[in-house]
Amino acid sequence: MAIIFQSCQSQSRTDLAQLTWSEDLLVDLIPESDRASFTSDKISPDTGIPIFYTKEVSNYKYENIKFEQTKFGNNSVGFYVYDALKKGEKNEIAGIKINIEKQNEDFFNLLKEKYGTPIILSPIPTKVMDGVIYGNSGYLWKQDKISIVLSDFYKSRNNEQYISTSIYIIKNDVVDLTSPERTSLERLIQTHTKK
């Protein structure tokens, strides 16, 4: 019985790798019954566009990588939209943001296998204090319609090495609402490029 339940549960996950990039956030991706678990940021500081995110990550996966909430509760899945949601209009997604812990190598290897060798925006940091690496690394996979930025954040938690990862999958045509002369992708690249 438990095996059947787990099997049904795993089948009901939305595979973010299978999106057609024409989905409506409210119609296709967030059923009305799940909307209460989503929080809205008016404008996300990393892309300059609105994001709606949830910590109910067990509803999602990316190909064979299934997301689960960790004991620190930092995992989340978010959906970017072009502009504030408008009632009765098509609210097409502009991108996805995934925050995960402990799956960074799996995700990096999956993206490398699928899209090839990335452009390095920031190499793995070398700053070490008390045996812990501090800083962040960043990688870019640029495609025709979408691009992916993966950034690992290295820090200390309970005096041990801790790494969290943010994956941004965004359409190349999305405009940063706070700076209309640049795209959200350009903003992400600037943010994650080592200066």
Side-chain angles (χ1 to χ4, degrees):
M1 184 93 163
I3 294 171
I4 293 169
F5 177 74
Q6 281 183 332
S7 173
C8 290
Q9 201 176 28
S10 66
Q11 290 173 355
S12 67
R13 291 174 184 253
T14 299
D15 186 351
L16 300 175
Q18 297 299 316
L19 296 182
T20 64
W21 294 97
S22 61
E23 283 84 359
D24 184 299
L25 181 68
L26 297 179
V27 174
D28 302 319
L29 292 174
I30 308 177
E32 200 162 342
S33 58
D34 293 345
R35 290 181 196 164
S37 74
F38 275 77
T39 306
S40 167
D41 276 353
K42 297 285 185 215
I43 295 287
S44 177
D46 44 25
T47 59
I49 54 175
I51 188 169
F52 294 81
Y53 63 93
T54 181
K55 291 188 176 280
E56 300 292 328
V57 295
S58 60
N59 294 332
Y60 302 94
K61 65 178 184 170
Y62 191 93
E63 290 196 3
N64 63 337
I65 300 176
K66 296 176 181 171
F67 310 127
E68 304 296 343
Q69 198 47 270
T70 62
K71 69 176 183 176
F72 296 113
N74 293 328
N75 289 356
S76 64
V77 171
F79 297 99
Y80 294 107
V81 291
Y82 284 91
D83 208 337
L85 292 183
K86 294 180 180 140
K87 192 173 182 179
E89 292 189 22
K90 183 153 177 59
N91 296 295
E92 191 174 305
I93 62 164
I96 304 165
K97 181 180 181 183
I98 304 163
N99 291 321
I100 54 172
E101 300 173 37
K102 300 183 179 179
Q103 293 174 301
N104 52 325
E105 280 187 46
D106 295 340
F107 220 114
F108 179 86
N109 291 332
L110 186 149
L111 292 173
K112 190 173 178 184
E113 185 178 308
K114 189 171 183 172
Y115 297 110
T117 303
I119 297 166
I120 299 173
L121 301 176
S122 298
I124 294 172
T126 56
K127 181 181 177 183
V128 179
M129 292 174 52
D130 300 323
V132 174
I133 298 172
Y134 290 88
N136 68 290
S137 60
Y139 305 91
L140 169 67
W141 288 267
K142 195 158 188 193
Q143 304 297 301
D144 290 337
K145 294 183 180 176
I146 63 160
S147 291
I148 301 168
V149 173
L150 182 146
S151 187
D152 287 326
F153 301 92
Y154 297 78
K155 54 189 171 187
S156 171
R157 179 164 274 164
N158 300 327
N159 298 319
E160 293 182 4
Q161 185 70 63
Y162 173 78
I163 303 171
S164 64
T165 301
S166 291
I167 299 105
Y168 307 85
I169 306 169
I170 195 141
K171 289 183 178 178
N172 294 335
D173 68 350
V174 181
V175 174
D176 176 352
L177 297 178
T178 66
S179 257
E181 70 280 355
R182 70 178 174 190
T183 65
S184 291
L185 177 61
E186 288 169 333
R187 181 176 180 139
L188 279 171
I189 291 170
Q190 288 171 358
T191 301
H192 295 282
T193 299
K194 189 171 186 178
K195 295 161 175 72

